[in-house]
Amino acid sequence: SDAALINNVIADNTTSASTGSGVAIHRSAPHLLHNTIARNGGNQGYGVTVASYLGDSSSAVLTNTILSGHKWGIYVSSGNTATLESTLWDNTLDWFGPGTIVTGTHNTWGDPLFAADGYHLMNSSAAIDVGVSAGVVADIDGQPRPNGLGYDVGADEFSPLFADGFETGDTSAWSGVTP
């Protein structure tokens, strides 16, 4: 299938199979835009696997992706292709395999600095303002993209908190007490 996956968090999955414990792409050509793929483990510890199935190859395009916390970020088997643009890498080994891996011109290495929920970005995250325009105008929470100097990679677009401690700036939640 030629599915489009936009603003998804694929995290903390495990498998005993030899394919990707995060995303296994077989016999398809999906486009993944602004996805956070993090901390998936198991047998091989792949964040993403791109492979053939019953002789049909796969060709995946990943744009503005966080690949973090895996033994291997992405594995591409022979005869298959993965094209990545604007990726934040933070794995033991970022990519490998006998297939074609095109990493594009915008790559960043560093800590995504996730909040306690495991996918929202914290201030000083290496994912902030390092993405490219991919035609996605809102993040996983419906907040506008970009917010700041550029597009953030991953499912979340970082928004600094307002005085009320909420991202919305809803003044009804304020205590009314002046410090």
Side-chain angles (χ1 to χ4, degrees):
S1 125
D2 297 337
L5 300 173
I6 303 170
N7 287 333
N8 292 283
V9 175
I10 302 160
D12 302 314
N13 297 293
T14 59
T15 183
S16 59
S18 61
T19 59
S21 51
V23 178
I25 298 168
H26 298 273
R27 202 177 187 181
S28 61
H31 288 229
L32 286 75
L33 306 169
H34 285 284
N35 290 284
T36 298
I37 304 170
R39 302 175 309 276
N40 298 292
N43 187 14
Q44 300 294 334
Y46 305 146
V48 177
T49 301
V50 181
S52 301
Y53 182 75
L54 298 176
D56 291 331
S57 63
S58 297
S59 180
V61 176
L62 292 82
T63 305
N64 292 334
T65 306
I66 295 175
L67 273 168
S68 174
H70 304 102
K71 186 174 179 182
W72 295 296
I74 187 168
Y75 172 81
V76 181
S77 67
S78 182
N80 298 279
T81 303
T83 303
L84 299 96
E85 184 65 51
S86 289
T87 306
L88 174 61
W89 302 97
D90 184 33
N91 306 283
T92 304
L93 180 64
D94 292 319
W95 63 82
F96 80 108
T100 302
I101 302 171
V102 180
T103 59
T105 56
H106 293 90
N107 290 287
T108 303
W109 284 265
D111 189 341
L113 289 177
F114 294 123
D117 64 10
Y119 73 94
H120 279 101
L121 303 177
M122 295 179 59
N123 194 23
S124 301
S125 168
I128 296 173
D129 296 336
V130 297
V132 296
S133 177
V136 179
V137 298
D139 75 356
I140 192 169
D141 301 312
Q143 296 172 328
R145 290 187 188 272
N147 182 13
L149 299 176
Y151 293 88
D152 299 347
V153 297
D156 180 49
E157 185 78 13
F158 176 75
S159 295
L161 297 179
F162 287 84
D164 62 359
F166 299 97
E167 294 177 1
T168 62
D170 180 5
T171 57
S172 66
W174 293 2
S175 67
V177 176
T178 305

